[in-house]
Amino acid sequence: MLKLAGAILVLLSGTLIGFRQAARYADRTAQIRQLLHALQRLETEIGFGHTPLPEALERAAAGAAGPVASLFHRTAERLRAGGAAVRDALRAAVDEGWSLTAMREPERSAVIRLGDALGISDREDQIRHLRLAAALLQAEEAGARDEQARYGKMWRSLGFMAALLVVILML
C-alpha cells in the first residue's frame, strides 16, 4: 500500500513538473503579447496624447498584468523620483524585475534598446523606435508560439513518461 501511494505521488509530481515546464512556454508568449500591447499604448500616449513619459508609462502598465506591468510601473516610479534618465530608469527596472518574467534575452535587449531612445528625441523619433521594438517583439512572439506548440507538448509528455519510468523502476 505504501509503495502504491509513493508511486502515485511520483507519477503526479513528474506530470506536474512537465506541465509547469510547458506553462513557461505559454507564459512567454503571453508576456510578449502583453509587452506588445503596452508598447502600442505607450506609442498612442506619446504620439497622440502628448502625455508626459512617467504618466504614459503608468497608462501603458494599466493594460498589462504581472511582471510586464511591473516593469513599466517601476520605470515610471524612478522617473517621478527624479534624477534618473529614462534609459537608466528602464534598465534598473529591467534588471530588477526581469527574472520574474518568462521572457528571454532577445526580448530583454529589445526593451533595453528602446529605453536608450525614449525621452531623448522628438515624438516622431520615439514613435519610430517604439515601432521598431514592436516589430522585433512580434518576430520573437512568432518564434515563442512555435516553441510553445512544439516543446509544450513534449514537456507534458516527458514529465509523465519520466515519472512512469521511475515508478516502473521502483516497483
Side-chain angles (χ1 to χ4, degrees):
M1 186 67 176
L2 193 57
K3 226 178 201 186
L4 180 63
I8 290 171
L9 284 176
V10 167
L11 194 58
L12 182 65
S13 299
T15 303
L16 289 176
I17 289 170
F19 273 84
R20 181 63 198 129
Q21 285 296 101
R24 293 276 300 163
Y25 288 100
D27 290 346
R28 179 177 179 225
T29 304
Q31 288 175 3
I32 293 172
R33 197 172 307 116
Q34 286 177 6
L35 187 56
L36 278 167
H37 289 301
L39 291 180
Q40 288 171 349
R41 180 128 189 221
L42 188 60
E43 178 184 337
T44 302
E45 292 293 334
I46 290 172
F48 301 109
H50 305 287
T51 310
L53 197 52
E55 188 178 332
L57 288 166
E58 285 291 346
R59 289 181 183 175
V68 174
S70 178
L71 291 174
F72 287 99
H73 282 301
R74 287 177 180 161
T75 304
E77 286 172 3
R78 287 185 188 339
L79 289 175
R80 282 196 179 110
V86 176
R87 70 183 281 183
D88 297 331
L90 184 60
R91 191 176 300 256
V94 166
D95 289 343
E96 194 176 292
W98 199 259
S99 62
L100 302 174
T101 71
M103 292 184 281
R104 297 188 185 152
E105 186 57 34
E107 295 90 12
R108 184 180 191 277
S109 64
V111 171
I112 294 291
R113 273 184 280 169
L114 175 63
D116 292 342
L118 279 182
I120 61 170
S121 59
D122 64 349
R123 188 173 324 142
E124 288 79 24
D125 190 48
Q126 290 182 51
I127 290 172
R128 192 171 55 245
H129 284 287
L130 283 164
R131 288 180 181 162
L132 175 63
L136 292 171
L137 289 170
Q138 285 172 342
E140 290 300 323
E141 182 190 13
R145 265 185 282 149
D146 290 343
E147 284 183 9
Q148 178 185 355
R150 190 174 333 141
Y151 297 123
K153 201 178 283 187
M154 179 197 74
W155 272 107
R156 284 189 294 273
S157 299
L158 185 63
F160 176 75
M161 292 299 182
L164 188 61
L165 177 66
V166 170
V167 166
I168 290 170
L169 292 174
M170 277 179 30
L171 298 177

